[in-house]
Amino acid sequence: MKVRIGADATREEASAIASALAQHVHEDIEVYVGESDEPILIHDIELTAPIEDDLGPTERELNLLAEIEEIDLGGPEKYKERLSEQGKLFVRDRLDLWFGEDGLKFEDGKFAQFDADDELPADGMITGAAEFEERDVHFMANDFTVKAGSMARHGVEKFLRMQQRALKTGKPVLYLMDSSGGRIDQQTGFFANREGIGKYYYNHSMLSGRVPQICVLYGPCIAGAAYTPVFADFTIMVEGMSAMAIASPRMVEMVTGEEIDMQELGGAKIHSEESGSADLVARDEEHARKLVSKLVAYLPNNADEKPPRAKPKPPLRDPKGIDSVIPQEPNRGYDMADVIERVVDHGSYFPLQPDYGKEIITAYARIDGRPVGIIANQPAERAGAIFPDAAEKAAQFAWKCDAFNVPLLYLCDTPGFMAGSQVEKDAILEKGKKMIYATSHATVPKQCVIVRKAYGAGIYAMSGPAYDPESTIGLPSGEIGIMGPEAAINAVYANKLNDIDDPEERAEMEQQLREEYREDIDIHRMASEVVVDEIVPPSQLREELANRFAFYETTEKQLPSKKHGTVI
């Protein structure tokens, strides 16, 4: 509003006039004096609340609010009672746990199946957007009180829209799964359609590597419902509550005659220790949320962004102790986690799949506040030899880190890939190939540390010099060779040693050959030949890695022009 007053008016008078008018007009007021083209002052209106009047909701809106309240109650009360018996939250309470009172931004498709003859609130599926740990996410959550969280046409449509919108927004997706699968009696409406349940997994594939997809299982997910957790980048199961399988125990018995319960078939223990499909196992619903809260802190929103940096913290234990942790004897076991805790920021060490393929550690951590993905041999488990499951685990982790721009740190102490008839049956060559391929294809900055042993093709899989790391650095305990001294002497000098009849002379010759071989593979020889970039005092390893990751932070690498590789 513009007001013009007499030319002899003072600023104080203009202010008084503007204040009086503001009580009635409720808009900004510009006061001009005389013929001036510029206002002497502008009185801004600052509303702290809407201006009340006599208007309010009509019966139409009140009816709508009542309908919304009814939908939010979910399915029949008897099914809610069963949830509490199972130690599970009702889905709306679960969303409150995850997002709080103000974190849920909006919901889509609340009125799905509103006019159905059966009681199907929201068609048993809630989708929408929320704020989680100060970032926006898309989410879906099954309502187990509505036909056991099963999926049908309208719920499927909501799920697909949520995924397709995530592709456009570039925001992470959170799947809170508690579903018995598709509704068989309604399958013609959603099963094989172009925009049916099969499109879930097409969209999962399109989202893969674009945005983080995180799935938490709260109950048995059977058949089609079980594919969402395995397509997700990260899957968390809840102990004693979660399960997933391609078929239910009843179907398994019908097809194979095997009698088995759900937990034995596909519970958290099976998928965290045997199949590797679960990344983490939570104690309960609250713990599951805490795990995801920690996980997302290492990830960007999408593949176009860098992972967030945190405030640097000192390591839990003094780096001066690293050399003491690593045994002098090359075949003696130790826990690589003791080394990691002396290198990374305190409280940042976050292992994934800790009970699967335990010969290799895969973990997120921070060094000087920067997120890194750690792939480390674990000498405490079968001497750190690389078994098929461990190779596949490392390959998948390297692939995920590279997809979301998390730099990689390889800590090498391995006698190489395991040999024997059983590992050949378990596809050691195929799975070892995947690990080497993922390491080769990673374009994020990579640092390789030769902690102790780097024998055989183990040095290849652990991003040795030939695999384009930004640096290969060694500790004074490091060795690089085709094989260890004992195996080498047996392979090369067995006949020569057998020709020596005197046991003492034979032992003396064997010791001499062992020492000569060890000198040949020692890290100092490797540094002399410039195979490694530097030998670093163990107490300075953290500082060395922090400097190198910081320096190479902007590294750009290009892959050859091609559609894609043929390794999968």
Side-chain angles (χ1 to χ4, degrees):
M1 180 179 182
K2 295 180 180 180
V3 177
R4 191 172 295 278
I5 60 179
D8 56 348
T10 65
R11 184 177 183 85
E12 289 73 17
E13 291 172 330
S15 178
I17 292 170
S19 297
L21 288 171
Q23 300 296 319
H24 304 283
V25 298
H26 306 301
E27 62 179 284
D28 294 346
I29 299 169
E30 298 178 5
V31 182
Y32 296 81
V33 175
E35 300 298 323
S36 174
D37 293 330
E38 296 295 327
I40 190 172
L41 62 83
I42 300 175
H43 186 95
D44 295 328
I45 300 298
E46 295 184 3
L47 289 177
T48 57
I51 299 167
E52 294 185 4
D53 55 28
D54 296 332
L55 299 179
T58 66
E59 185 177 356
R60 178 174 54 192
E61 181 175 349
L62 294 175
N63 289 339
L64 178 63
L65 291 170
E67 291 165 354
I68 292 173
E69 184 177 355
E70 181 69 21
I71 292 169
D72 287 348
L73 292 175
E77 189 63 31
K78 63 181 180 180
Y79 296 130
K80 289 185 187 177
E81 293 172 359
R82 292 180 189 176
L83 291 178
S84 60
E85 293 169 3
Q86 298 166 4
K88 293 162 59 171
L89 294 174
F90 173 54
V91 66
R92 297 283 175 182
D93 297 328
R94 182 173 294 148
L95 295 179
D96 287 342
L97 171 67
W98 278 84
F99 310 129
E101 291 184 6
D102 302 320
L104 200 156
K105 292 178 177 292
F106 56 81
E107 184 179 332
D108 291 319
K110 185 188 287 282
F111 280 81
Q113 288 286 43
F114 177 71
D115 56 357
D117 294 334
D118 206 352
E119 190 174 355
L120 300 170
D123 204 22
M125 182 176 293
I126 302 170
T127 62
E131 181 179 310
F132 178 68
E133 299 302 326
E134 299 183 351
R135 65 174 77 193
D136 290 342
V137 297
H138 297 268
F139 76 89
M140 62 74 57
N142 301 107
D143 183 352
F144 201 74
T145 67
V146 179
K147 290 191 175 291
S150 60
M151 297 173 287
R153 182 164 63 94
H154 295 299
V156 168
E157 175 67 23
K158 291 161 64 173
F159 191 111
L160 295 177
R161 288 184 191 178
M162 181 273 295
Q163 290 180 309
Q164 290 156 358
R165 287 163 180 165
L167 275 170
K168 297 174 183 177
T169 64
K171 298 181 189 296
V173 182
L174 183 61
Y175 303 94
L176 305 178
M177 294 288 295
D178 192 0
S179 173
S180 59
R183 291 181 205 152
I184 296 174
D185 59 337
Q186 299 177 31
Q187 62 178 298
T188 54
F190 68 87
F191 177 63
N193 310 47
R194 285 181 175 83
E195 295 296 320
I197 200 169
K199 197 63 172 275
Y200 280 15
Y201 317 116
Y202 174 87
N203 287 343
H204 278 307
S205 302
M206 296 301 103
L207 285 164
S208 178
R210 174 59 188 153
V211 300
Q213 299 183 83
I214 300 170
C215 179
V216 183
L217 269 68
Y218 292 102
C221 290
I222 307 299
Y227 279 105
T228 285
V230 296
F231 264 102
D233 299 305
F234 304 96
T235 298
I236 292 86
M237 298 182 74
V238 182
E239 191 174 354
M241 184 185 297
S242 303
M244 57 180 170
I246 199 70
S248 68
R250 184 169 58 180
M251 183 64 70
V252 168
E253 185 176 0
M254 285 177 57
V255 174
T256 69
E258 180 185 12
E259 294 184 14
I260 192 169
D261 68 28
M262 194 67 235
Q263 287 299 315
E264 290 175 335
L265 180 64
K269 184 176 176 63
I270 296 298
H271 289 301
S272 63
E273 299 179 15
E274 303 293 336
S275 76
S277 294
D279 293 281
L280 296 165
V281 177
R283 296 184 299 272
D284 51 36
E285 294 216 23
E286 290 79 6
H287 187 216
R289 188 199 183 282
K290 288 178 182 177
L291 290 174
V292 177
S293 174
K294 290 182 179 180
L295 173 63
V296 297
Y298 299 98
L299 302 172
N301 285 323
N302 57 59
D304 295 332
E305 298 179 6
K306 298 287 187 181
R309 188 178 180 188
K311 183 180 179 180
K313 294 181 180 179
L316 175 64
R317 302 194 183 278
D318 196 328
K320 292 177 182 177
I322 291 175
D323 198 39
S324 296
V325 170
I326 304 166
Q328 296 288 335
E329 304 87 347
N331 295 324
R332 186 174 154 200
Y334 67 98
D335 189 350
M336 182 63 82
D338 291 342
V339 174
I340 294 172
E341 291 280 20
R342 295 175 186 271
V343 171
V344 304
D345 294 10
H346 170 51
S348 72
Y349 178 50
F350 189 70
L352 295 173
Q353 294 182 297
D355 298 318
Y356 176 74
K358 293 194 285 187
E359 304 81 25
I360 287 181
I361 293 170
T362 52
Y364 288 118
R366 295 185 189 88
I367 298 177
D368 197 33
R370 289 183 174 83
V372 296
I374 298 174
I375 296 176
N377 303 115
Q378 176 54 293
E381 297 288 342
R382 299 200 276 195
I386 303 173
F387 280 73
D389 287 349
E392 189 169 52
K393 164 183 165 178
Q396 291 174 347
F397 184 71
W399 211 233
K400 291 174 191 177
C401 287
D402 189 51
F404 296 118
N405 304 313
V406 181
L408 284 163
L409 170 60
Y410 289 81
L411 299 175
C412 183
D413 188 349
T414 180
F417 287 94
M418 188 60 189
S421 62
Q422 187 57 53
V423 292
E424 293 299 341
K425 293 175 184 176
D426 294 338
I428 185 65
L429 290 170
E430 280 296 312
K431 293 179 179 180
K433 173 185 72 174
K434 291 180 181 181
M435 184 176 177
I436 292 172
Y437 182 84
T439 295
S440 304
H441 250 248
T443 60
V444 292
K446 295 180 290 186
Q447 301 290 337
C448 172
V449 180
I450 310 301
V451 177
R452 194 172 57 166
K453 300 187 299 292
Y455 297 162
I459 185 64
Y460 303 158
M462 295 299 290
S463 195
Y467 287 79
D468 199 26
E470 274 47 65
S471 317
T472 302
I473 57 180
L475 300 185
S477 47
E479 296 179 336
I480 301 177
I482 293 175
M483 59 186 70
E486 303 300 332
I489 291 168
N490 183 61
V492 179
Y493 300 109
N495 292 335
K496 183 176 181 179
L497 290 169
N498 288 334
D499 289 341
I500 301 174
D501 294 328
D502 182 19
E504 290 186 8
E505 183 183 349
R506 188 187 310 119
E508 186 178 336
M509 174 60 72
E510 190 172 340
Q511 181 61 27
Q512 179 185 335
L513 292 170
R514 186 181 296 110
E515 289 174 1
E516 289 175 357
Y517 186 84
R518 179 144 278 142
E519 287 179 9
D520 198 44
I521 65 175
D522 185 78
I523 198 69
H524 291 83
R525 177 67 186 278
M526 296 297 114
S528 178
E529 297 293 332
V530 204
V531 173
V532 300
D533 294 290
E534 191 61 278
I535 305 175
V536 176
S539 60
Q540 298 174 21
L541 179 59
R542 171 181 162 84
E543 181 182 1
E544 184 84 13
L545 289 171
N547 290 339
R548 289 178 182 269
F549 275 119
F551 185 84
Y552 289 110
E553 193 170 30
T554 56
T555 295
E556 293 184 7
K557 301 180 185 179
Q558 298 297 323
L559 295 172
S561 177
K562 58 182 178 180
K563 189 172 183 179
H564 56 68
T566 60
V567 177
I568 189 170

